[in-house]
Amino acid sequence: MGSDVETQRRTSGATCESVLIVEDEFLVALDLETTVREIGLDVVGVATDRRQALALAPRADIAFVDVNLADGATGPEIGQRLVDEFGVTVIFMTSNPSAVIGRVRGALGVVSKPATPTIVQNSLRSALEARRSP
């Protein structure tokens, strides 16, 4: 990647939810980005570590967060901060679900890697529903 953070600006007045992808594996992040866009949601950026994720957090409504990132196993901490400080709906996506199950208050759930596009889309639909529920 040519820059520290790949990002796309939100269009003013956008009515759809925006998704942050916190993933350091390029191909996994690319697949997630494609799947998110296919159902009509915006991707605010791809973060590979804590610093990038927190910089993009204010623009995100939903986040897919891996456990192990470029700066170590920071995913659970990032997920908790996204929930607590930014009101982001967090979905963990990891090959090690036991690393986050029951550890992060307010996270919507955990998706095991590898995940099919259908599972990702269903997770996004659940996140959208959760955000719209009182």
Side-chain angles (χ1 to χ4, degrees):
M1 291 185 198
S3 67
D4 282 343
V5 178
E6 290 189 16
T7 185
Q8 174 180 329
R9 294 228 180 263
R10 268 177 120 161
T11 57
S12 61
T15 58
C16 75
E17 306 286 332
S18 296
V19 178
L20 169 61
I21 298 169
V22 185
E23 171 62 65
D24 66 335
E25 293 180 43
F26 176 76
L27 293 177
V28 173
L30 187 61
D31 279 347
L32 273 171
E33 186 172 6
T34 299
T35 302
V36 168
R37 290 181 194 275
E38 283 176 351
I39 66 167
L41 300 178
D42 290 332
V43 174
V44 297
V46 175
T48 62
D49 62 22
R50 177 188 307 120
R51 181 187 59 80
Q52 293 171 352
L54 296 177
L56 290 167
R59 296 178 37 218
D61 300 302
I62 299 167
F64 279 103
V65 181
D66 189 12
V67 170
N68 294 306
L69 299 163
D71 56 355
T74 57
E77 176 204 338
I78 293 167
Q80 191 67 69
R81 290 187 67 186
L82 291 174
V83 170
D84 291 344
E85 297 173 27
F86 301 96
V88 174
T89 301
V90 171
I91 303 165
F92 285 99
M93 180 175 259
T94 179
S95 56
N96 184 15
S98 64
V100 287
I101 291 177
R103 288 189 49 206
V104 179
R105 288 178 336 282
L108 185 64
V110 181
V111 173
S112 293
K113 281 184 183 178
T116 65
T118 301
I119 291 171
V120 171
Q121 290 174 350
N122 288 340
S123 298
L124 284 167
R125 287 185 187 101
S126 293
L128 290 169
E129 188 175 304
R131 290 190 66 78
R132 292 182 182 132
S133 297

